[in-house]
């Protein structure tokens, strides 16, 4: 079987790393797997050997970008005799839908977030089937998007343990107590509530360091600025720092004492938690 996976600029850490793992699994099973991505996946701190990577060059915004990617994907389908198209984000799902219909091949999606129902997000459930990584997402799609249970495919989120090096607690820093927050930097992540609680914690653990994943696109940079002002107002400036998550290397969990997930609403980003467990880092959610 020949399958192409489509990755956009907005795809989550779960989507990108999960697609790489899935591609390796398909290759070991005798299939041919190609990842067509707008992002540069060659710069990842991750082994991509054996995976065929096709670059989809960003070409502006709006209709022109849609048009360019549509023709590029159709070309990949023809050249590689693709039998299944697999998309993850709303934009790529729309492009994949039209390309699949034009070339007469099946189209499937994986849903990685609790999207609100609107026309833009509708593309995620228009394929032959929808893959979900946990049952809560399946129930959500059935209730909000009216997806039939027959169209849902449940593939449990997992990681390759050989990729991660377990570290026991006694190998971690004896002088610093490091806490990492690895979820996307957005208002629904509950960072304000968590940081307010940390004001008390710093009185008990004065050598604390709080690390927050910085993976915001430029269009949402204002939230980061507001969060920095909030942290300054709490008097926590000397305790916290951002770490660059744009290259999708979350091995920082291996150097932390705790990973915290302070979400105040449903969140679908589960892979960072599995990776923290694999490194031997406790998770508080």
């Amino acid at each position: 079987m020949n399958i192409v996976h489509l990755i956009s600029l907005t795809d989550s850490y779960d989507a990108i790393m999960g697609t790489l793992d899935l591609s390796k699994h398909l290759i070991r099973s005798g299939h041919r797997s190609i990842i067509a991505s707008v992002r540069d996946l060659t710069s990842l701190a991750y082994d991509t050997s054996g995976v065929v990577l096709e670059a989809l060059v960003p070409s502006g915004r709006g209709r022109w970008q849609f048009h360019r990617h549509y023709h590029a994907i159709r070309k990949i389908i023809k050249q590689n005799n693709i039998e299944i198209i697999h998309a993850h984000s709303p934009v790529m799902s729309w492009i994949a839908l039209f390309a699949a219909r034009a070339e007469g091949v099946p189209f499937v999606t994986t849903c990685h977030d609790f999207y609100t129902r609107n026309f833009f997000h509708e593309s995620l459930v228009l394929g032959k089937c929808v893959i979900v990584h946990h049952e809560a997402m399946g129930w959500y799609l059935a209730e909000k998007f009216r997806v039939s249970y027959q169209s849902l495919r449940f593939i449990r989120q997992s990681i390759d343990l050989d990729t991660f090096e377990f570290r026991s607690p006694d190998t971690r820093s004896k002088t610093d107590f490091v806490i990492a927050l690895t979820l996307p930097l957005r208002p629904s992540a509950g960072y304000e509530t968590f940081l307010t609680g940390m004001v008390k914690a710093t009185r008990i653990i004065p050598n604390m360091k709080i690390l927050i994943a910085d993976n915001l696109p430029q269009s949402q940079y204002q939230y980061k600025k507001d969060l920095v002002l909030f942290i300054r107002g709490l008097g926590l400036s000397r305790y916290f720092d951002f770490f660059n998550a744009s290259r999708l290397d979350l091995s920082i969990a291996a150097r932390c004492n705790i990973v915290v997930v302070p979400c105040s609403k449903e969140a679908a980003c589960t892979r960072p938690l599995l990776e923290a467990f694999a490194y031997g880092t406790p998770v508080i959610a």
Side-chain angles (χ1 to χ4, degrees):
M1 179 185 296
N2 298 331
I3 180 170
V4 61
H5 311 273
L6 306 179
I7 297 293
S8 72
L9 281 172
T10 59
D11 271 318
S12 66
Y13 180 76
D14 283 44
I16 296 172
M17 302 306 284
T19 299
L20 284 167
D21 281 341
L22 176 60
S23 291
K24 289 187 172 185
H25 172 74
L26 290 170
I27 292 167
R28 288 194 297 266
S29 302
H31 303 289
R32 188 156 187 265
S33 184
I34 298 170
I35 300 178
S37 174
V38 181
R39 303 183 70 153
D40 178 18
L41 301 185
T42 59
S43 64
L44 294 176
Y46 189 80
D47 179 19
T48 59
S49 57
V51 180
V52 179
L53 300 176
E54 292 276 358
L56 296 175
V57 181
S59 52
R61 300 177 63 86
R63 189 182 306 171
W64 176 240
Q65 184 179 24
F66 191 102
H67 181 77
R68 279 280 296 270
H69 289 165
Y70 168 76
H71 286 287
I73 291 167
R74 288 192 62 182
K75 184 178 179 181
I76 292 171
I77 294 171
K78 293 175 181 177
Q79 290 179 341
N80 298 279
N81 297 316
I82 295 298
E83 298 167 84
I84 294 180
I85 305 177
H86 180 204
H88 303 266
S89 64
V91 173
M92 279 301 180
S93 295
W94 278 117
I95 298 173
L97 174 64
F98 289 114
R101 288 182 176 178
E103 297 299 328
V105 296
F107 153 64
V108 301
T109 61
T110 297
C111 191
H112 293 274
D113 207 346
F114 291 94
Y115 292 100
T116 55
R117 187 177 184 183
N118 56 43
F119 176 78
F120 180 64
H121 296 150
E122 200 71 28
S123 60
L124 287 163
V125 297
L126 295 178
K128 191 176 182 68
C129 68
V130 185
I131 299 169
V132 293
H133 294 309
H134 31 76
E135 294 178 14
M137 181 63 72
W139 285 108
Y140 181 83
L141 292 176
E143 179 183 351
K144 298 294 185 181
F145 285 80
R146 299 293 186 262
V147 177
S148 68
Y149 292 111
Q150 291 74 22
S151 299
L152 294 170
R153 298 293 184 272
F154 177 52
I155 301 177
R156 192 179 301 279
Q157 179 77 289
S158 61
I159 59 175
D160 181 3
L161 289 177
D162 292 335
T163 309
F164 305 92
E165 182 182 351
F166 179 85
R167 297 183 62 188
S168 61
D170 58 357
T171 63
R172 300 175 194 273
S173 173
K174 301 296 189 297
T175 57
D176 296 321
F177 190 85
V178 184
I179 300 175
L181 293 88
T182 60
L183 287 185
L185 191 63
R186 55 191 182 193
S188 62
Y191 286 134
E192 290 88 348
T193 303
F194 166 79
L195 290 166
T196 301
M198 288 298 97
V199 174
K200 284 187 177 181
T202 54
R203 300 169 189 165
I204 303 170
I205 313 173
N207 56 337
M208 180 184 295
K209 192 71 176 177
I210 303 167
L211 304 178
I212 300 177
D214 180 12
N215 49 4
L216 277 180
Q218 194 64 32
S219 59
Q220 300 176 23
Y221 190 71
Q222 184 60 43
Y223 177 66
K224 179 181 175 181
K225 293 175 64 177
D226 293 342
L227 187 64
V228 170
L229 290 174
F230 181 78
I231 291 169
R232 191 177 301 164
L234 293 175
L236 293 176
S237 295
R238 68 187 183 93
Y239 295 102
F240 102 100
D241 199 2
F242 290 104
F243 68 90
N244 186 0
S246 61
R247 292 187 61 184
L248 304 173
D249 177 15
L250 294 187
S251 60
I252 192 167
R255 304 192 296 273
C256 293
N257 299 86
I258 293 176
V259 168
V260 178
V261 185
C263 266
S264 54
K265 61 181 292 187
E266 291 173 317
C269 300
T270 55
R271 186 182 173 97
L273 310 188
L274 296 179
E275 293 185 2
F277 293 147
Y279 285 125
T281 306
V283 174
I284 299 177

